[in-house]
């Protein structure tokens, strides 16, 4: 690891993980010029050992790491942290971009890239993250490519707008608002339908959950977003 301070007030703390030393060093220079504090690592395993002691505002991860690849590293980071993640990699196939976004990345650039372009993306992600985490957008929730706004009743999934019914939106909003926690079927029904829950009403909930999964292209047998907790209810992982 190599930590480098910028001059004066630090704008944000940036984590770089790339086993190509020349690229990591170049990014470090550009980030320092923008007055960012840099945590620089050449191996994913070293990051995982230190992460809880770092104060990271944004991470730039290479995918093709020699020890633990960027996808797996991103997945492990997302178990505890929600700061923005940008993938920087030589792999430009569309499926790799999709995989990265599904795992919780916020942006994706392919090598070779212009350092100034990456800096612009860093600034954009930091502005967005700061805005959403200062309470200015308390009615907007973003989870791994899913964005739902309770003020405008708009929902986007990887930048594609989802056409949801009023009930589908209410269900998805409730699950997102309680992300990481199980929402019991009876609580979900009571809050969304504003009525007393009976066992038969679980079939109604299941139908709407199925429709939501279909619209999100989420595999019902192995869903990545809306998980069924059998005998209890539903949850969306953080």
């Amino acid at each position: 690891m190599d930590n480098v301070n910028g001059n004066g007030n630090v704008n944000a703390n940036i984590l770089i993980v790339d086993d190509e030393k020349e690229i990591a060093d170049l990014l470090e220079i550009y980030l320092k010029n923008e007055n960012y504090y840099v945590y620089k690592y050449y191996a994913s395993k070293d990051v995982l050992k230190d992460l809880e002691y770092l104060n990271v505002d944004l991470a730039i991860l290479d995918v093709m790491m020699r020890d633990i690849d960027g996808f797996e590293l991103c997945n492990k980071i997302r178990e505890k942290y929600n700061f923005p993640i940008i993938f920087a990699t030589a792999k430009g196939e569309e499926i790799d971009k999709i995989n990265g976004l599904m795992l919780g990345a916020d942006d994706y650039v392919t090598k070779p890239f212009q350092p100034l372009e990456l800096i612009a993306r860093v600034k954009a992600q930091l502005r967005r993250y700061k805005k959403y985490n200062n309470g200015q957008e308390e009615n907007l929730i973003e989870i791994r490519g899913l964005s739902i706004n309770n003020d405008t009743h708009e929902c986007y999934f990887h930048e594609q707008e989802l056409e949801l019914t009023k009930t589908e939106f209410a269900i998805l909003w409730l699950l997102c608002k309680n992300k990481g926690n199980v929402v019991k079927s009876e609580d979900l029904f009571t809050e969304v339908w504003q009525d007393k829950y009976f066992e038969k009403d679980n079939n109604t909930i299941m139908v709407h959950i199925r429709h939501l999964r279909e619209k999100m292209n989420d595999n019902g047998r192995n869903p990545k977003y809306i998980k069924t907790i059998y005998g209890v209810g539903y949850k969306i992982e953080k």
Side-chain angles (χ1 to χ4, degrees):
M1 178 187 71
D2 186 11
N3 293 347
V4 183
N5 266 314
N7 299 319
N9 296 325
V10 175
N11 288 329
N13 301 321
I14 309 297
L15 170 65
I16 298 174
V17 187
D18 198 318
D19 56 10
E20 294 187 63
K21 187 176 184 300
E22 295 79 5
I23 292 178
D25 293 348
L26 179 63
L27 285 177
E28 174 190 270
I29 292 171
Y30 276 89
L31 289 166
K32 283 176 60 181
N33 287 339
E34 297 294 329
N35 218 25
Y36 292 115
Y37 186 95
V38 176
Y39 301 108
K40 187 174 61 175
Y41 287 80
Y42 302 125
S44 298
K45 58 181 175 56
D46 295 332
V47 178
L48 294 175
K49 288 190 296 185
D50 292 351
L51 193 57
E52 63 179 304
Y53 306 109
L54 307 180
N55 181 24
V56 178
D57 294 305
L58 180 144
I60 302 171
L61 310 180
D62 181 32
V63 170
M64 301 300 289
M65 298 291 291
R66 294 185 181 90
D67 55 344
I68 301 172
D69 69 40
F71 289 150
E72 186 176 348
L73 178 58
C74 175
N75 198 32
K76 290 182 179 297
I77 289 174
R78 281 291 177 253
E79 291 176 1
K80 292 185 178 180
Y81 306 96
N82 67 343
F83 51 75
I85 293 175
I86 299 175
F87 276 132
T89 177
K91 297 188 71 175
E93 291 84 355
E94 193 67 26
I95 188 64
D96 294 311
K97 296 181 182 181
I98 293 172
N99 285 339
L101 294 172
M102 289 291 285
L103 286 170
D106 298 274
D107 205 351
Y108 196 112
V109 293
T110 55
K111 300 175 183 176
F113 53 80
Q114 293 295 325
L116 290 178
E117 176 193 354
L118 184 56
I119 295 300
R121 290 173 182 259
V122 166
K123 291 180 177 180
Q125 289 297 332
L126 286 171
R127 283 196 303 269
R128 188 179 183 188
Y129 180 70
K130 182 177 180 180
K131 182 178 181 181
Y132 294 158
N133 284 273
N134 280 348
Q136 296 180 20
E137 296 286 343
E138 58 184 11
N139 280 327
L140 186 146
I141 299 174
E142 291 196 334
I143 305 172
R144 293 179 286 126
L146 174 66
S147 174
I148 184 167
N149 190 318
N150 199 37
D151 284 332
T152 63
H153 272 242
E154 292 178 321
C155 183
Y156 288 85
F157 187 64
H158 296 306
E159 300 184 357
Q160 297 295 317
E161 186 170 8
L162 296 182
E163 297 293 336
L164 304 180
T165 66
K166 181 179 179 181
T167 300
E168 289 168 353
F169 185 94
I171 291 172
L172 189 57
W173 172 256
L174 184 60
L175 293 174
C176 289
K177 191 169 63 171
N178 292 277
K179 60 183 180 292
N181 298 313
V182 179
V183 179
K184 295 181 180 179
S185 296
E186 51 264 41
D187 294 338
L188 194 156
F189 188 87
T190 300
E191 182 154 346
V192 172
W193 277 268
Q194 299 292 307
D195 200 358
K196 187 175 180 179
Y197 174 82
F198 296 98
E199 192 65 31
K200 63 179 177 61
D201 293 320
N202 196 46
N203 291 331
T204 301
I205 297 172
M206 289 172 61
V207 170
H208 284 85
I209 293 292
R210 187 178 74 244
H211 290 165
L212 279 169
R213 285 173 174 157
E214 289 172 354
K215 291 181 179 182
M216 297 168 65
N217 295 316
D218 204 11
N219 189 331
R221 293 185 177 181
N222 186 28
K224 295 181 180 295
Y225 284 87
I226 304 176
K227 304 287 183 70
T228 300
I229 311 300
Y230 291 100
V232 183
Y234 302 90
K235 71 182 293 190
I236 287 184
E237 300 286 358
K238 292 184 180 179

